[in-house]
Amino acid sequence: MKTIGLLGGLSWESTKEYYHIINETVKQQLGGLNSAKIVLYSVNFAEIESLQRQGRWQDITSMLVHAAKSIEAGGADFLMLCTNTMHRVADEIQANIRIPFLHIADAAATAVKSRGLTSIGLLGTRITMEEDFYKMRLVSRHELQVLIPSEKDREIVNRIIYEELVLGKIEAVSRQEYLRIITELASRGAQGVILGCTEIGLLINQQDTPLPLFDTTMIHAQAAVAFALS
């Protein structure tokens, strides 16, 4: 079994889901007392969020590269960044470590394509929905058509993430807003929706809508186990 490197705390609410899913999946596959071999580095999300608001991406990159190098030095065989938004600096992280980096968008795209879908909606932070680092990876590397919500709905999705989900607040009214937005994406041709923020799965799940949902936390964590046991 390879040792999984987790760079988390972005937020810790979703990182705990990674830890739980990874260990449950290892137990299911190997049985007995088996659990995952993990090196975890958890950052202070308040520091990262503040730098985000100031547009200080070089400082964010430096912090996450330092964390990634620490995980590598700790004995991890590969690295997982437990967040979608911070994959904005994934290339810089990969360039500064020698171990493989499992990109969350690649894992999500593989899951989407396994269902035979070609047009996918994307929910996440404004950064994930609006910038190219995530969308264009889905388009250029995986030949998917990507749809995002309207500007007004992108603001709603982003606000709920930062004001509620990263704080562990689960509100029924916010769930209904997300489902409304998902229905709107479906009306524009989305065959499914990527939950492109690792906290969104805390709010909605497949039981809430007939449209296929792709929870990146679950998908990424399960991809980690597959790689660790390969």
Side-chain angles (χ1 to χ4, degrees):
M1 184 192 303
K2 299 180 184 70
T3 299
I4 302 169
L6 297 181
L7 204 176
L10 300 152
S11 66
W12 71 265
E13 291 284 349
S14 59
T15 303
K16 70 178 181 180
E17 296 298 319
Y18 269 88
Y19 189 83
H20 177 77
I21 294 165
I22 288 170
N23 280 292
E24 281 290 341
T25 305
V26 168
K27 182 173 70 173
Q28 290 167 10
Q29 295 196 21
L30 300 183
L33 299 178
N34 283 289
S35 59
K37 296 167 64 178
I38 294 174
V39 176
L40 169 63
Y41 190 115
S42 187
V43 302
N44 180 359
F45 186 55
E47 296 175 359
I48 298 291
E49 192 275 335
S50 176
L51 292 172
Q52 279 182 355
R53 283 188 284 105
Q54 298 174 60
R56 293 168 58 184
W57 283 98
Q58 187 54 53
D59 290 335
I60 292 173
T61 301
S62 297
M63 291 176 66
L64 296 186
V65 166
H66 171 76
K69 287 181 175 180
S70 298
I71 291 168
E72 183 177 38
D77 293 306
F78 63 99
L79 179 66
M80 308 276 290
L81 183 56
C82 303
T83 166
N84 289 270
T85 301
M86 290 299 103
H87 275 72
R88 189 182 193 272
V89 299
D91 290 344
E92 291 91 335
I93 292 173
Q94 178 67 91
N96 282 278
I97 57 176
R98 295 181 299 275
I99 57 177
F101 181 95
L102 267 61
H103 199 290
I104 196 168
D106 293 339
T110 298
V112 170
K113 292 164 72 175
S114 73
R115 298 281 294 273
L117 308 185
T118 58
S119 178
I120 195 76
L122 175 63
L123 300 181
T125 64
R126 289 193 72 108
I127 294 169
T128 299
M129 292 185 287
E130 295 178 356
E131 297 192 18
D132 284 342
F133 71 93
Y134 200 100
K135 290 184 299 183
M136 289 309 299
R137 194 176 185 99
L138 297 174
V139 172
S140 62
R141 294 200 178 203
H142 302 283
E143 299 181 332
L144 294 171
Q145 179 186 4
V146 181
L147 303 172
I148 62 172
S150 67
E151 182 176 358
K152 179 180 178 181
D153 283 346
R154 293 197 299 272
E155 178 56 38
I156 292 171
V157 171
N158 188 78
R159 178 186 57 76
I160 290 170
I161 290 169
Y162 279 103
E163 295 182 8
E164 298 175 18
L165 300 184
V166 298
L167 301 174
K169 296 180 181 179
I170 308 300
E171 304 288 350
V173 65
S174 296
R175 180 179 295 110
Q176 291 306 310
E177 281 287 82
Y178 267 53
L179 294 175
R180 176 188 62 76
I181 293 167
I182 287 171
T183 299
E184 172 65 19
L185 288 170
S187 74
R188 291 166 48 202
Q191 300 165 318
V193 174
I194 292 174
L195 306 184
C197 173
T198 49
E199 284 85 16
I200 296 177
L202 302 173
L203 181 66
I204 58 175
N205 58 53
Q206 193 60 74
Q207 295 178 342
D208 297 319
T209 174
L211 198 70
L213 299 181
F214 297 89
D215 182 345
T216 51
T217 303
M218 178 68 72
I219 291 167
H220 204 204
Q222 291 179 338
V225 174
F227 194 80
L229 299 182
S230 63

